[in-house]
Amino acid sequence: MFQQAPPTLGNQYEDDSLLRSYLERNVPADTLREIEPALAEMGRLAGGDLYQMQLADRLNEPVLTQWDAWGNRVDRIELTALWRAAEKIAAEHGVVAAAYEQKHGRFSRVHQCALAYLFTPSTDIYSCPLAMTDGAARTLLGSGNQSLIERAVPHLTSRDPQEFWTAGQWMTELTGGSDVATSETIAKPDLTQNSEGETRNWRLYGRKWFTSAVSSQIALTLARPEGNPPGGRGLALFYLELRDEHGRLRNFTIDRLKDKLGTRKVPTAELTLDGTPAQLVLGTTDGVRNITPVLNLTRLWNGISAVSLMRRVVALALDYAHKRSAFGALLSEKPLHLDTLAGLQAETEGAFHLAFMVAELTGRAETKEIDEEQSALLRLLTPLMKLTTGKQAVAVVSEALEAFGGAGYVEDTGLPQLLRDAQVLPIWEGTTNVLALDALRALGTDDRALKALNAEVSRCLGSVHDQRFAEPRRVVQMALAHAESWLAAAREAGTPKLEAGARRFALTLGRAMELALICRHAQWLLENGGDVRAISAARRFAASGIDLITLTDSLPGAVQH
Ligand code: MFK
């Protein structure tokens, strides 16, 4: 009787020619020699033991036990076996630490992102607590708060699973996850804690409505010191440790875990803070501004996670295409099937280059090897990359499920879950619209960031000589010219017009940048004996909708209630 072979994965580093060629082009040869064994080991785990564990753990979810048998409030969270294993692997392989050990200077961030990219898709989004851990470490280091740095950063960046801590981010309240300036949590000074009467310790009162994984040891959160004015400036950034030395939560309760569409292994929670002890990170005001280093790093993680999920479905679909026959031939011999897969691969490639470009710039910022133009570019590309790759991930994963026919819709293949997980990527860490408005904010008043983007695109296209790139080059240049003329006209027309078109503008910039980066890499491949198919990826991507600024006359008033 006929038996279909399922899709399988090989070593996810060795099989990924895009990742390997990208590293070869960007990272100095001696650095690559040093980091490659660790990447190959992570690739082996991600396609092997960890992937098998993920499939076996599919139905398990974290469990919250609020009460013990004797009526004590305990709020214990039991993670699933996959997540327990993922935490240990993440620590031992330095999936956060690699960015802080600085063994490879500014390439340390690229190294760490490559590890995260390989690790994420086999862990059911264990990238969430790691993203927060990374964001917290960076924020604390930048805060100059020496006692918190000494207390927490060695744990957050440890490779020892016994020492390793993860961090949470508790920002979203009932008033919103986007407009966090409206947060209602109050901070009261706790003078009893300090013999000199100095207000170092605070107590927090309020409700946090959607936290990141609440299994962490510490969290960064926002609260309004009593008497402060409304708005983001009146909030302050706080650090807290979740449990005391007996394992009891410090004056807060976990009311429930969220019942979400996807990311079901992540114990996201609703909390009530009732006198939770906390410490100021830096100052009693400007909480929104002070938490932005967390936001920018977790947005990078979001993009890397988006690309990693795209890569995972494409890897599975390619393998399946070599195993599945229909109408007398393997799918890998069917022109239409191959055409569909090539489209998915082109989108993945564009997203990959943009996410790793933000990683490169982040690495430069972290080692202070960044000039003004690159800083402006990083500020603009972070929201553009997050919003563009989030949308691509949902579209690519959704389309890729079709490549498995009905099997792509059946839960125990593990495939549908990828789509549910991808769907969070355009939502959390700033929705597409919020990030499109952030991109307008990043342009500033002098458009330095847009000039930096144009200059980077020009450098990319300047390195591209092969005539076959003529059309992609024209598409990039036309899209950017259109985006600039739209921006000028929309500014002239006023804020409603500008905001209404912000998403189309941002996606156009994001996709144009991706295409320029694809072209640059493809040209390099041509010159270095690489895969000539990269040219078709560029041409295909160029034809897949770069300039999205079409509805120039649309205004919110056009919506009927
Ligand atoms: C794989 C990873 C998975 C992660 C899972 C996490 C699960 C957690 C669930 C969640 O909670 S998700 C919710 C996430 N929420 C957000 O990401 C917030 C989205 N909203 C925004 O990003 C808004 O743009 C923002 C809250 C920042 C705007 O608030 P305001 O009060 O209108 O801010 P304002 O006044 O524009 O900016 C305050 C300061 O911050 C300004 O600087 P100045 O004080 O010097 O003028 C801004 O320039 C600065 N700023 C804002 N965004 C910035 C920034 N600076 C640098 N980078 C940015 N991105």
Side-chain angles (χ1 to χ4, degrees):
M1 206 197 300
F2 175 76
Q3 188 65 49
Q4 177 59 49
T8 50
L9 295 172
N11 183 312
Q12 289 302 281
Y13 175 70
E14 283 165 10
D15 289 355
D16 193 334
S17 59
L18 175 59
L19 173 63
R20 285 192 292 111
S21 61
Y22 163 79
L23 292 173
E24 203 183 323
R25 182 171 64 78
N26 278 282
V27 173
D30 52 344
T31 303
L32 185 54
R33 259 194 310 280
E34 282 167 31
I35 65 177
E36 212 164 23
L39 293 174
E41 174 57 13
M42 185 59 88
R44 186 190 67 74
L45 279 169
D49 295 352
L50 201 50
Y51 178 50
Q52 292 312 319
M53 212 182 298
Q54 178 185 36
L55 292 175
D57 200 55
R58 187 179 62 82
L59 294 175
N60 300 326
E61 294 189 358
V63 175
L64 167 64
T65 304
Q66 291 174 309
W67 303 96
D68 75 5
W70 306 101
N72 297 302
R73 185 80 194 229
V74 288
D75 287 355
R76 260 196 314 269
I77 291 187
E78 186 78 22
L79 298 175
T80 77
L82 176 69
W83 262 46
R84 291 197 301 275
E87 178 168 313
K88 187 166 179 292
I89 292 170
E92 286 172 346
H93 289 76
V95 183
V96 174
Y100 293 87
E101 292 161 346
Q102 285 296 320
K103 286 189 189 148
H104 311 292
R106 66 187 170 88
F107 298 103
S108 302
R109 180 56 73 179
V110 170
H111 173 210
Q112 176 265 330
C113 282
L115 284 169
Y117 163 82
L118 293 167
F119 170 82
T120 295
S122 296
T123 64
D124 292 353
I125 315 293
Y126 194 77
S127 49
C128 169
L130 297 182
M132 298 303 157
T133 304
D134 197 346
R138 180 55 57 208
T139 303
L140 292 176
L141 283 170
S143 73
N145 186 327
Q146 216 42 47
S147 70
L148 290 184
I149 292 172
E150 282 165 22
R151 168 83 185 143
V153 174
H155 289 290
L156 300 174
T157 59
S158 175
R159 280 185 186 248
D160 177 354
Q162 301 304 321
E163 292 294 318
F164 183 54
W165 285 0
T166 59
Q169 172 243 77
W170 303 350
M171 213 164 57
T172 299
E173 300 199 359
L174 275 101
T175 46
S178 299
D179 188 5
V180 293
T182 56
S183 294
E184 293 178 321
T185 296
I186 293 293
K188 298 186 184 188
D190 183 0
L191 298 172
T192 57
Q193 298 270 330
N194 192 316
S195 55
E196 288 128 46
E198 209 183 323
T199 315
R200 280 235 195 99
N201 297 298
W202 295 71
R203 290 194 179 260
L204 309 186
Y205 299 84
R207 281 178 83 187
K208 294 292 173 182
W209 184 239
F210 205 123
T211 70
S212 57
V214 78
S215 44
S216 64
Q217 283 77 14
I218 68 156
L220 294 184
T221 191
L222 296 176
R224 194 175 309 282
E226 256 185 333
N228 268 18
R233 288 201 194 286
L235 292 169
L237 177 60
F238 286 93
Y239 163 97
L240 60 90
E241 293 181 7
L242 275 69
R243 294 181 188 268
D244 65 17
E245 58 279 17
H246 307 293
R248 289 182 300 238
L249 291 180
R250 296 176 194 261
N251 295 19
F252 72 91
T253 50
I254 302 176
D255 301 330
R256 59 177 166 165
L257 298 185
K258 290 291 194 185
D259 185 8
K260 296 163 293 174
L261 172 69
T263 66
R264 296 196 59 102
K265 294 274 195 305
V266 186
T268 31
E270 292 172 22
L271 312 175
T272 298
L273 314 186
D274 187 16
T276 312
Q279 285 173 266
L280 285 170
V281 176
L282 69 165
T284 53
T285 57
D286 292 305
V288 170
R289 191 204 307 144
N290 291 338
I291 205 167
T292 56
V294 180
L295 301 188
N296 289 331
L297 259 190
T298 56
R299 286 169 187 172
L300 170 59
W301 272 85
N302 206 93
I304 296 290
S305 299
V307 187
S308 79
L309 291 191
M310 288 185 241
R311 165 63 196 159
R312 172 56 52 90
V313 279
V314 168
L316 289 168
L318 282 173
D319 183 69
Y320 192 63
H322 288 94
K323 290 175 172 164
R324 178 71 176 168
S325 291
F327 303 108
L330 287 169
L331 294 181
S332 59
E333 291 157 9
K334 300 276 184 190
L336 181 52
H337 195 75
L338 289 178
D339 186 82
T340 306
L341 294 183
L344 299 178
Q345 218 157 1
E347 287 294 317
T348 305
E349 207 167 304
F352 177 98
H353 287 301
L354 186 53
F356 273 87
M357 167 140 211
V358 173
E360 282 168 42
L361 289 167
T362 302
R364 282 185 174 278
E366 290 172 327
T367 52
K368 306 208 174 357
E369 290 172 73
I370 193 162
D371 61 27
E372 268 188 36
E373 181 184 296
Q374 289 163 331
S375 283
L377 185 60
L378 174 60
R379 176 69 185 92
L380 176 60
L381 283 187
T382 299
L384 293 181
M385 178 278 292
K386 194 280 186 186
L387 71 88
T388 308
T389 58
K391 284 293 185 203
Q392 287 175 300
V394 177
V396 165
V397 176
S398 174
E399 179 65 56
L401 294 196
E402 220 177 300
F404 301 91
Y409 200 64
V410 169
E411 291 287 356
D412 57 3
T413 60
L415 294 165
Q417 184 189 311
L418 292 170
L419 180 57
R420 287 195 297 273
D421 288 352
Q423 185 64 63
V424 85
L425 296 166
I427 297 177
W428 68 12
E429 297 315 307
T431 61
T432 307
N433 284 358
V434 166
L435 289 168
L437 297 175
D438 185 52
L440 292 183
R441 190 199 276 115
L443 293 179
T445 46
D446 57 2
D447 284 344
R448 194 187 308 165
L450 195 53
K451 287 181 198 136
L453 187 146
N454 273 313
E456 185 62 27
V457 166
S458 297
R459 278 191 289 273
C460 287
L461 297 182
S463 69
V464 169
H465 313 298
D466 194 286
Q467 269 316 301
R468 285 167 290 181
F469 293 114
E471 179 57 11
R473 174 202 293 273
R474 193 190 65 81
V475 169
V476 174
Q477 287 166 337
M478 296 284 289
L480 289 183
H482 193 191
E484 266 194 85
S485 63
W486 174 85
L487 182 66
R491 280 175 168 160
E492 191 82 11
T495 305
K497 184 91 170 177
L498 187 62
E499 290 194 359
R503 174 199 280 238
R504 287 185 286 273
F505 171 71
L507 282 168
T508 299
L509 293 185
R511 291 183 69 80
M513 186 77 234
E514 286 189 0
L515 178 53
L517 294 169
I518 293 177
C519 290
R520 180 175 68 179
H521 191 66
Q523 176 73 45
W524 180 87
L525 283 172
L526 280 184
E527 290 164 9
N528 289 275
D531 195 342
V532 288
R533 279 176 303 181
I535 299 175
S536 7
R539 291 166 64 88
R540 183 179 286 276
F541 195 77
S544 67
I546 303 302
D547 181 354
L548 302 177
I549 303 175
T550 48
L551 299 169
T552 47
D553 58 348
S554 79
L555 275 176
V559 177
Q560 299 293 318
H561 288 279

